[in-house]
């Protein structure tokens, strides 16, 4: 069979994957804290028809003759650039102005928390600070945050300190929001619901640095109250890449069609 046919098939598969990623990006253009993805391609092994000849005193060198065998997916990256800020003026809507992730747990006894950039938090009936899915938001010690029984109001400072005003007129500022910092955010595993899970390629041994917001030593950003970080999807770029992917898919389908016509001519040689 012709090598060009299989190269065309690999190209169609690659651009189909690219269209899948673009479609997911566009679908999440208004998802709080969403980070867009991109597809990077790489060529597969090439078939060497003739090897390299070194130059000599009487003759120059000759380059190798190689025929490429198609394309494959090199990587599907998650772009962790900051999204635009949307002002809501809701006191439990938080945005990290820089690096770092909020720490949340599905259950109180969960060992390693999940990570999220979506700061649309709420206070439930038991005065727990939770996400929209009911996950517990953790403090700087990894413990789920629960407001005191005597708390009548609270506010959150830029360093994540939760200042609780008690019924007796005093304040309690002993609790701070926990912020997670990882070496390689692209190594985190998406698990849906705006959550990420720790992996061994995000931080050595799957551990992470648990710190606080607005910390110059760890480089975490400040907490901005009353704002949410929106998706970092650029619609202009996504639609441009969609055109490129569509034309690439069409061009590769034409390769398959042309290869099929060549094979048909070969079959018709003997009638």
């Amino acid at each position: 069979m012709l090598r060009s046919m299989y190269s065309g098939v690999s190209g169609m598969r690659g651009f189909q994957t690219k269209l899948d990623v673009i479609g997911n990006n566009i679908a999440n253009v208004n998802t709080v804290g969403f980070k867009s993805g991109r597809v990077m391609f790489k060529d597969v092994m090439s078939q060497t028809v003739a090897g390299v000849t070194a130059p000599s005193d009487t003759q120059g060198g000759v380059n190798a003759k190689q025929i490429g065998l198609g394309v494959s997916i090199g990587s599907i990256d998650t772009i962790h650039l900051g999204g635009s800020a949307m002002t809501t003026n809701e006191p439990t809507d938080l945005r990290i102005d820089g690096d770092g992730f909020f720490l949340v747990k599905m259950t109180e006894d969960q060992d390693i928390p999940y990570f999220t950039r979506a700061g649309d938090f709420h206070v439930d009936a038991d005065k727990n600070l939770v996400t929209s899915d009911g996950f517990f938001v953790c403090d700087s010690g990894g413990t789920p945050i629960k407001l005191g029984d005597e708390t009548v109001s609270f506010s959150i400072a830029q360093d994540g300190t939760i200042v609780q005003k008690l019924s007796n007129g005093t304040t309690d500022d002993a609790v701070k929001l926990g912020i997670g910092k990882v070496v390689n955010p692209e190594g985190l595993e998406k698990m849906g619901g705006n959550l990420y899970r720790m992996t061994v390629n995000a931080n050595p041994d799957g551990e992470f640095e648990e710190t606080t917001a607005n910390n110059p030593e760890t480089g975490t950003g400040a907490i901005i109250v009353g704002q949410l970080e929106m998706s970092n999807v650029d619609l202009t770029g996504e639609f441009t890449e969609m055109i490129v992917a569509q034309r690439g898919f069409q061009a590769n389908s034409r390769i398959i069609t042309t290869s099929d016509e060549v094979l048909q001519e070969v079959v018709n040689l003997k009638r």
Side-chain angles (χ1 to χ4, degrees), residues 26 35 44 88 104 138 159 185 265:
I26 295 175
K35 302 303 179 183
V44 298
T88 63
V104 299
C138 298
D159 63 353
E265 292 297 326

Side-chain angles (χ1 to χ4, degrees), residues 155 157 159-166 170-176:
S155 62
D159 63 353
T161 301
I162 301 178
V163 182
Q164 304 179 55
K165 184 177 180 180
L166 307 182
T170 61
T171 58
D172 180 3
D173 58 357
V175 179
K176 276 190 177 183

Side-chain angles (χ1 to χ4, degrees), residues 183-201:
V183 176
N184 175 30
E186 291 187 15
L188 294 173
E189 178 187 354
K190 288 184 177 181
M191 52 179 297
N194 295 329
L195 299 178
Y196 297 90
R197 179 162 38 203
M198 175 60 67
T199 67
V200 293
N201 196 39

Side-chain angles (χ1 to χ4, degrees), residues 32-44:
V32 176
F34 178 79
K35 302 303 179 183
S36 61
R38 70 176 182 185
V39 177
M40 303 302 293
F41 297 109
K42 65 179 180 181
D43 63 334
V44 298

Side-chain angles (χ1 to χ4, degrees), residues 33-240:
F34 178 79
K35 302 303 179 183
S36 61
R38 70 176 182 185
V39 177
M40 303 302 293
F41 297 109
K42 65 179 180 181
D43 63 334
V44 298
M45 183 182 298
S46 297
Q47 182 178 1
T48 302
V49 179
V52 177
T53 301
S56 63
D57 296 336
T58 59
Q59 186 177 0
V62 178
N63 295 327
K65 299 180 179 65
Q66 291 183 299
I67 301 174
L69 300 178
V71 66
S72 64
I73 302 297
S75 65
I76 301 178
D77 305 322
T78 301
I79 309 301
H80 282 270
L81 296 176
S84 59
M86 181 179 71
T87 301
T88 63
N89 295 322
E90 181 69 28
T92 55
D93 285 347
L94 309 177
R95 178 176 68 89
I96 301 177
D97 188 21
D99 296 332
F101 296 85
F102 296 111
L103 305 177
V104 299
K105 289 183 177 181
M106 184 179 299
T107 59
E108 294 185 4
D109 57 353
Q110 181 177 332
D111 292 331
I112 300 179
Y114 299 135
F115 301 83
T116 184
R117 292 282 292 191
D120 51 327
F121 300 140
H122 311 274
V123 178
D124 66 8
D126 287 337
K127 293 189 176 182
N128 296 303
L129 189 63
V130 296
T131 67
S132 297
D133 293 324
F135 289 3
F136 298 106
V137 181
C138 298
D139 61 13
S140 56
T143 304
I145 296 174
K146 184 173 183 177
L147 303 178
D149 294 334
E150 303 298 324
T151 300
V152 294
S153 65
F154 70 95
S155 62
I156 301 176
Q158 287 193 348
D159 63 353
T161 301
I162 301 178
V163 182
Q164 304 179 55
K165 184 177 180 180
L166 307 182
S167 58
N168 59 7
T170 61
T171 58
D172 180 3
D173 58 357
V175 179
K176 276 190 177 183
L177 277 169
I179 300 295
K181 187 75 182 296
V182 296
V183 176
N184 175 30
E186 291 187 15
L188 294 173
E189 178 187 354
K190 288 184 177 181
M191 52 179 297
N194 295 329
L195 299 178
Y196 297 90
R197 179 162 38 203
M198 175 60 67
T199 67
V200 293
N201 196 39
N203 241 40
D205 300 324
E207 301 293 336
F208 71 96
E209 185 176 3
E210 193 168 313
T211 180
T212 56
N214 208 18
N215 190 332
E217 296 182 359
T218 57
T220 52
I223 299 293
I224 309 299
V225 180
Q227 291 185 357
L228 292 175
E229 180 183 2
M230 299 307 296
S231 170
N232 67 351
V233 174
D234 178 13
L235 273 182
T236 303
E238 295 300 327
F239 280 118
T240 302

